[in-house]
């Protein structure tokens, strides 16, 4: 554990905040809010600097602010979107991986006050730490200014990536809608079976079948099991909706009837 004078630690915190302002273009009226947002708890554990607070309370506030702003943004941005898809899209935008990516764009990890041990173990690149720091930054910006300042920061990060997130949400919405249709029509839950995994480890292509009541209703492909299963659900749902006015929906002629299947640890399915 290293010891510094309170004055030295205060100077380090202020200079760190000023460097972040210069790099990001975000200017704070109350520099102590920004200093707190940039302070990881490991820094206080090592320095015993009791006059400074870590960023965890701001992280809590920022999480709530993000949920509200993203929800309002999506409500107005997509006036015809279903509630289920809006929920999926909001979840994709505020999940740890997404917020950590936003933090990387701001180079936030390199500006954190962090204990030496935490930094040496990769703390500045750890997704959970980056996500928390971004939420803390949002909380600090909200307290220092207002919601409009947070929106300016957030929307500049969200808009370029939005089409990709919309696609992900649409796929997830297809899975939930397919499950609802399957249970209402056949009283059966869709099962997802990983049929193939081709290619080298760094570039695998997965093929997934979605099976309802013993029949394959959709086949999907993707670079992960999750993407392939969502693609299969979307294809199955498209087939069902194409025949929604038929008196009896014909079974898809994709593959012979399938044996019963059980879910594996990844949430996919394997032959039982």
């Amino acid at each position: 554990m290293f010891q510094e004078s309170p004055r030295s630690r205060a100077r380090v915190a202020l200079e760190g905040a000023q460097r972040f302002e210069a790099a990001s273009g975000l200017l704070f009226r109350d520099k102590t809010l920004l200093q707190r947002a940039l302070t990881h708890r490991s820094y206080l554990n090592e320095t015993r600097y009791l006059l400074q607070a870590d960023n965890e309370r701001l992280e809590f506030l920022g999480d709530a602010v993000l949920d509200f702003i993203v929800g309002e943004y999506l409500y107005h941005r997509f006036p015809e979107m279903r509630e289920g898809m809006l929920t999926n899209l909001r979840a994709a935008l505020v999940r740890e991986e997404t917020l950590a990516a936003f933090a990387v764009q701001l180079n936030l990890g390199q500006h954190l006050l962090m204990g030496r041990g935490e930094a040496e173990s990769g703390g500045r690149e750890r997704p959970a730490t980056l996500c928390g720091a971004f939420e803390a930054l949002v909380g600090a910006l909200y307290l220092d200014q207002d919601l409009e300042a947070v929106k300016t920061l957030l929307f500049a990060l969200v808009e370029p990536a939005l089409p990709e997130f919309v696609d992900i949400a649409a796929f997830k919405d297809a899975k939930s809608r397919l499950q609802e249709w399957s249970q209402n029509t056949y009283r059966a839950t869709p099962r997802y079976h990983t049929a193939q995994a081709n290619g080298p480890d760094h570039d695998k292509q997965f093929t997934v079948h979605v099976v309802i009541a013993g029949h394959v209703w959709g086949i999907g492909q993707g670079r992960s099991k999750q993407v392939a299963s969502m693609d299969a659900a979307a294809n199955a749902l498209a087939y069902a909706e194409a025949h929604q006015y038929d008196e009896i929906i014909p079974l898809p002629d994709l593959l012979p009837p399938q044996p019963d299947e059980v879910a594996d640890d990844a949430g996919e399915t394997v032959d039982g």
Side-chain angles (χ1 to χ4, degrees):
M1 189 170 298
F2 57 93
Q3 299 292 327
E4 294 179 277
S5 69
R7 181 174 297 179
S8 174
R9 294 177 194 130
R11 185 177 64 253
V12 168
L14 177 58
E15 290 176 350
Q18 290 172 335
R19 284 194 298 270
F20 177 76
E21 284 184 314
S24 66
L26 291 172
L27 300 178
F28 278 72
R29 302 185 184 99
D30 183 351
K31 306 300 183 189
T32 62
L33 283 169
L34 179 56
Q35 292 171 35
R36 185 181 304 175
L38 296 175
T39 302
H40 188 264
R41 63 180 175 181
S42 63
Y43 178 75
L44 304 186
N45 291 339
E46 287 194 7
T47 62
R48 294 183 175 177
Y49 182 27
L50 302 181
L51 299 181
Q52 173 76 345
D54 65 37
N55 62 8
E56 292 184 356
R57 282 173 53 84
L58 286 173
E59 178 183 340
F60 165 80
L61 177 61
D63 176 68
V65 171
L66 282 169
D67 267 350
F68 171 73
I69 288 179
V70 171
E72 182 194 40
Y73 167 73
L74 295 177
Y75 179 85
H76 293 294
R77 181 74 165 72
F78 301 104
E80 303 301 323
M81 187 175 285
R82 289 163 40 92
E83 182 272 339
M85 188 167 171
L86 286 170
T87 298
N88 291 334
L89 186 51
R90 182 180 61 185
L93 286 169
V94 300
R95 65 181 179 178
E96 177 181 297
E97 178 183 343
T98 303
L99 299 184
F102 293 162
V104 169
Q105 291 185 51
L106 296 172
N107 202 24
L108 194 53
Q110 301 309 309
H111 292 277
L112 293 178
L113 287 175
M114 182 176 288
R116 291 175 181 173
E118 180 72 14
E120 290 171 358
S121 67
R124 297 188 187 280
E125 293 80 36
R126 191 167 292 122
T129 300
L130 291 173
C131 171
F134 184 80
E135 290 174 332
L137 178 66
V138 166
L141 189 59
Y142 167 70
L143 291 178
D144 186 65
Q145 297 172 42
D146 53 24
L147 285 176
E148 292 305 314
V150 177
K151 290 178 181 180
T152 299
L153 167 66
L154 187 61
F155 295 167
L157 296 167
V158 167
E159 279 290 343
L162 193 58
E164 178 184 352
F165 288 117
V166 170
D167 288 343
I168 293 172
F171 276 134
K172 288 188 175 181
D173 188 50
K175 289 188 76 171
S176 63
R177 289 167 59 200
L178 179 65
Q179 178 165 321
E180 180 181 346
W181 174 85
S182 173
Q183 290 175 338
N184 288 338
T185 305
Y186 290 100
R187 297 190 177 182
T189 299
R191 301 289 182 179
Y192 296 87
H193 165 53
T194 304
Q196 293 181 357
N198 299 318
D201 289 342
H202 69 278
D203 191 27
K204 276 196 180 299
Q205 184 79 5
F206 294 91
T207 300
V208 168
H209 299 165
V210 57
V211 180
I212 301 172
H215 290 272
V216 175
W217 279 77
I219 298 175
Q221 294 185 323
R223 296 186 65 177
S224 71
K225 290 181 180 180
Q226 182 184 27
V227 170
S229 67
M230 290 189 293
D231 187 38
N235 291 332
L237 190 63
Y239 179 86
E241 291 178 343
H243 294 277
Q244 63 181 315
Y245 299 113
D246 294 356
E247 186 174 347
I248 298 177
I249 297 178
L251 294 173
D253 187 20
L254 296 175
L255 290 171
Q258 302 295 295
D260 291 338
E261 298 171 337
V262 295
D264 68 11
D265 293 338
E268 305 297 337
T269 59
V270 295
D271 292 335

